[in-house]
Amino acid sequence: MRIARRIVADIFLWRGLGALLALQLAVAGCSTPGRLPAVPSASTVQADTGLGPVRFLVARETQTFAEEARNALRKEQAYLASTGQQGPLPPAEFLAISGGSDNGAFGAGLLNGWTEAGTRPVFKAVTGISTGALIAPFAFLGPNYDHVLREVYTETKQKDIFRKRGLLKGLFGDAMADTRPLATLIAHYTDRAFLDAVAAEYAKGRLLLVGTTNLDTLEPVIWNMTAIAASKDPRAPELFRKVLLASASIPGGFPPVMIDVGIDGTRYQEMHVDGGTVAQVFFYPPSLHVADIADAQVLARKRSVYVIRNARLDPDWASVERRVMPIAARAISSLTETQGIGDLYRIYTTTHRDGIDFNLAYIPASFTVPHREEFDTGYMQKLFETGRAMAVGGYPWQKYPPGYEAPVPRK
């Protein structure tokens, strides 16, 4: 969200009142981007990408999500049996990566350092939103892709992610910036061979999930990226990349991603944007209970979730200018940060209920490197190194969300 605020504020500050007056004279000559019709409200669940069941509408399809979890368990059991595994199931570790723009350098560094420490597990499932969605596929495939995270989060510059548009094109288009550079970057790293590697892990019962927001319905959507990768449909690579781009497309700042769907032969389009619009990080819907999808043997296995919050959790002090844009931007920032903390509490209470060990990492208060612009390479390099060094030294995972105090045992 921080990127969108800065792009919008910059444009207004650059142009000033004269540009706004010129804008009024040019309105008649401007046109907004078109789109296919949105899916009718009553038919949202029936909308089909053409690749089969590759996503979940969180608010409406808990049972579908539960069935995918059962299928993943069956695949895991079959795979383990094929390797000669006997007896109880091994521990299951899960990873959830939050949004945070270029603060994703923290998570990328932490994963690299975790590998160096020699304690990084193979995750049963990985989830990601926004910058976390861009990290998630490489975290899912493991240490062999650590170099990609290092490259992207220590060498990337602003021009590699977006290009600012002019005032007229921005205000009467669909965003203030053009994200074709980011789309190119995503395509470079997610070729067919990459998708085949993701699909191979799906066959073992592992899951890669990415969150977007359907702006037409204001609903969170969880995409089963492993199922998309496993599809033989020639459209699968494009959809895989579109979902990653959509999850990182901050409304207003970056263009939305239009995803084609169909219902009984009629074509529609859904407008998808940053998953951080509805959640900064996610694991699984709270309405889903692990006991509903597992027998006694599975319930007995040790399960742990590791949440990487690509943000600070200490107070973010600033001297706010007494002008409309800085005040509005600061208020939006407050909402985003509060939502992120709420997401951590939701994950904690859900996992505590289901007997899953909770672990949290976040940018430490001791990190005080100035952040001069979005995708400031120097800033990202230092943040990456901070996360890496903390993990190499044995990351001090927090067992509770911020502000929560463990209950004192009764005597």
Side-chain angles (χ1 to χ4, degrees), residues 32-383:
T32 57
R35 60 170 293 182
L36 292 178
V39 176
S41 176
S43 304
T44 302
V45 175
Q46 287 74 45
D48 183 11
T49 63
L51 274 69
V54 296
R55 63 181 186 171
F56 315 100
L57 305 184
V58 179
R60 312 187 194 205
E61 296 184 310
T62 299
Q63 291 307 310
T64 306
F65 193 100
E67 184 56 36
E68 181 59 43
R70 294 188 192 97
N71 288 337
L73 177 59
R74 287 191 284 266
K75 290 177 183 178
E76 180 188 15
Q77 290 171 320
Y79 170 71
L80 291 174
S82 73
T83 64
Q85 169 77 28
Q86 296 180 350
L89 288 170
E93 284 91 7
F94 305 88
L95 177 67
I97 313 171
S98 85
S101 185
D102 53 5
N103 278 335
F106 172 74
L110 191 151
L111 287 164
N112 271 256
W114 204 348
T115 298
E116 292 180 50
T119 56
R120 178 174 163 184
V122 175
F123 299 106
K124 167 73 174 171
V126 177
T127 73
I129 274 184
S130 196
T131 198
L134 302 180
I135 296 172
F138 307 104
F140 179 77
L141 288 184
N144 287 341
Y145 288 86
D146 280 357
H147 71 282
V148 175
L149 295 178
R150 180 184 291 274
E151 290 169 9
V152 172
Y153 284 95
T154 64
E155 299 177 12
T156 297
K157 298 178 175 61
Q158 190 177 102
K159 65 180 180 61
D160 300 318
I161 304 299
F162 65 88
R163 290 191 295 265
K164 293 177 182 177
R165 291 173 170 170
L167 180 63
L168 294 181
K169 191 172 183 179
L171 292 179
F172 287 92
D174 55 4
M176 294 307 230
D178 182 344
T179 52
R180 278 179 289 185
L182 177 57
T184 299
L185 189 67
I186 291 171
H188 172 72
Y189 287 111
T190 57
D191 57 12
R192 184 67 253 186
F194 183 88
L195 267 65
D196 289 343
V198 171
E201 297 306 309
Y202 186 44
K204 300 175 186 177
R206 298 179 64 215
L207 295 172
L208 171 61
L209 308 173
V210 164
T212 66
T213 300
N214 183 335
L215 207 56
D216 293 321
T217 63
L218 294 181
E219 286 183 295
V221 179
I222 296 177
W223 295 84
N224 187 343
M225 305 299 282
T226 28
I228 295 173
S231 172
K232 300 303 181 183
D233 192 298
R235 296 170 294 177
E238 179 186 10
L239 181 60
F240 191 96
R241 295 163 191 155
K242 275 190 168 185
V243 171
L244 294 181
L245 181 61
S247 188
S249 294
I250 305 158
F254 293 169
V257 175
M258 308 307 298
I259 294 181
D260 296 332
V261 295
I263 302 175
D264 297 329
T266 302
R267 295 176 60 228
Y268 299 95
Q269 277 186 328
E270 296 175 343
M271 181 180 289
H272 285 261
V273 298
D274 193 337
T277 305
V278 293
Q280 293 294 305
V281 64
F282 74 98
F283 184 19
Y284 59 86
S287 55
L288 177 67
H289 292 243
V290 171
D292 295 338
I293 61 174
D295 57 24
Q297 180 192 24
V298 176
L299 284 174
R301 82 189 301 188
K302 177 176 172 56
R303 299 182 304 280
S304 303
V305 61
Y306 296 89
V307 181
I308 299 177
R309 177 75 174 109
N310 290 303
R312 300 166 63 105
L313 296 182
D314 55 307
D316 181 19
W317 186 90
S319 177
V320 182
E321 294 181 66
R322 192 173 177 177
R323 293 187 296 109
V324 171
M325 288 302 296
I327 292 171
R330 188 67 172 168
I332 294 172
S333 177
S334 173
L335 291 172
T336 302
E337 291 177 13
T338 302
Q339 177 198 46
I341 293 174
D343 293 333
L344 297 178
Y345 271 85
R346 184 183 66 251
I347 293 175
Y348 174 75
T349 55
T350 302
T351 54
H352 181 70
R353 178 198 68 195
D354 289 342
I356 301 175
D357 181 45
F358 177 89
N359 301 272
L360 171 65
Y362 53 89
I363 299 174
S366 58
F367 183 78
T368 57
V369 175
H371 187 262
R372 296 180 176 84
E373 64 175 3
E374 297 307 325
F375 300 97
D376 177 342
T377 305
Y379 172 88
M380 290 192 294
Q381 289 171 346
K382 290 182 173 61
L383 184 54

